[in-house]
Amino acid sequence: MRALVITAPGVAEVQEVDEPVVGPGEVVVDVHRAGICGTDVEFFTGEMAYLHTGHAEYPMRLGHEWAGVVSEVGEGVDPAWLGTSVTGDTMLGCGHCRRCAQGLQHVCEDRFELGIRGGKPGALAEKVAVPASSLHSLPDGVDDVMGALVEPGGNAYRSVQGAQLSRGDRCLVLGPGTIGLLCALFARAEGAEVHVLGRSERSLAFARELGFIAWTEDELPDLAWDAVIEASNAQHLPAKALDLVEPGKRVVYVGLAGLPSTIDTRDLALRDVTAVGILSASPGLSGTIDAYASGAVDPRPLIAATVTLEQLPGILAGERPDGAGPGPKIHVTMQEEKSQ
């Protein structure tokens, strides 16, 4: 089968590789659609921290945002999964430790992360093998486009849940990338007044197209923010988020900068602010699927372009596909898709 393989920093190619062999408790999925995110780009450039901590090494097969159909089941797996449209969890815990037993497999010390950590091949390929326990079925009304947006959506869903918004609250999202805009969509679905802070006019204009109030840092008005969700990769914005949020309210950190960010915990304590950190989509996948299925959140406008596997090396190197729209997300198609 064809799969994208990164062999060194700045070197990616589509290779013919062996199809996955299904193991006990696993399924093989025919991948229909997958997404590219900033983590994938960091692996391509060689900047991703896991490459320097021993959690990942080249060659690598990326892909953790995906949707497809189960084509094979392993020993101990219910055959009813065959033919089911699915997506799956990225975080694959060991299944034996205290954290896994408490439902916290996404912070298991010995976890695999599909296409990211521990050498587990990802879904930027025609087929992928995953544990059946990681699967989430996609109901009617959730097509492959939305299915491949469940994983980033889960991070945003959890971020908004962590903000504990009430109807009429004013929420500020820092960073108009995929996660930030998904946070804005979920916050609006909760009935909040949503503002977005960004830098480029293109990204701010797109946020306004989606119906949000968008500002640059210099323009941001002095308003009372009931929640601030920090979804950028800017080193200074975590501290600014804490400065901006109303006393007694919540700041959520889901973005990661390339260098350490610092906050003054005296401000956190003396203003009685609750800070919430979000690592993964895992506990939010079901809620995200429900929101997509009900129509409460429609993530599809975020897709700028859909490309082939062969176009991916150029995309990872920073090329913008011809005719790409204003959204932040690039998707890849591998096989015939399920449409809504």
Side-chain angles (χ1 to χ4, degrees), residues 97-115:
C97 70
R98 184 172 184 267
R99 295 174 191 174
C100 286
Q102 294 177 338
L104 298 172
Q105 89 287 342
H106 60 292
V107 289
C108 169
E109 191 65 29
D110 297 319
R111 69 185 180 273
F112 292 93
E113 296 179 25
L114 188 75

Side-chain angles (χ1 to χ4, degrees), residues 175-198:
T178 298
I179 299 298
L181 291 175
L182 285 166
C183 286
L185 290 168
F186 277 101
R188 184 166 64 191
E190 292 292 318
E193 174 190 312
V194 183
H195 298 241
V196 176
L197 183 142

Side-chain angles (χ1 to χ4, degrees), residues 159 171-184 194-199 203-204 207 213-217 220-221 225 227-245 250-256 263:
S159 297
C171 176
L172 176 64
V173 178
L174 309 184
T178 298
I179 299 298
L181 291 175
L182 285 166
C183 286
V194 183
H195 298 241
V196 176
L197 183 142
R199 289 182 297 183
S203 63
L204 292 174
I213 306 165
W215 310 95
T216 64
E217 200 167 343
L220 188 68
W225 306 107
V228 178
I229 300 175
E230 206 292 291
S232 80
N233 60 2
Q235 187 181 12
H236 72 289
L237 285 183
K240 189 173 186 68
L242 180 55
D243 289 340
L244 290 169
V245 72
R250 290 182 163 237
V251 60
V252 179
Y253 294 111
V254 65
L256 292 174
I263 63 171

Side-chain angles (χ1 to χ4, degrees), residues 163-171 191-194 226-227 249:
Q164 292 191 357
L165 293 166
S166 298
R167 182 166 295 278
D169 279 353
R170 184 182 294 119
C171 176
E193 174 190 312
V194 183
D226 297 298
K249 297 301 181 74

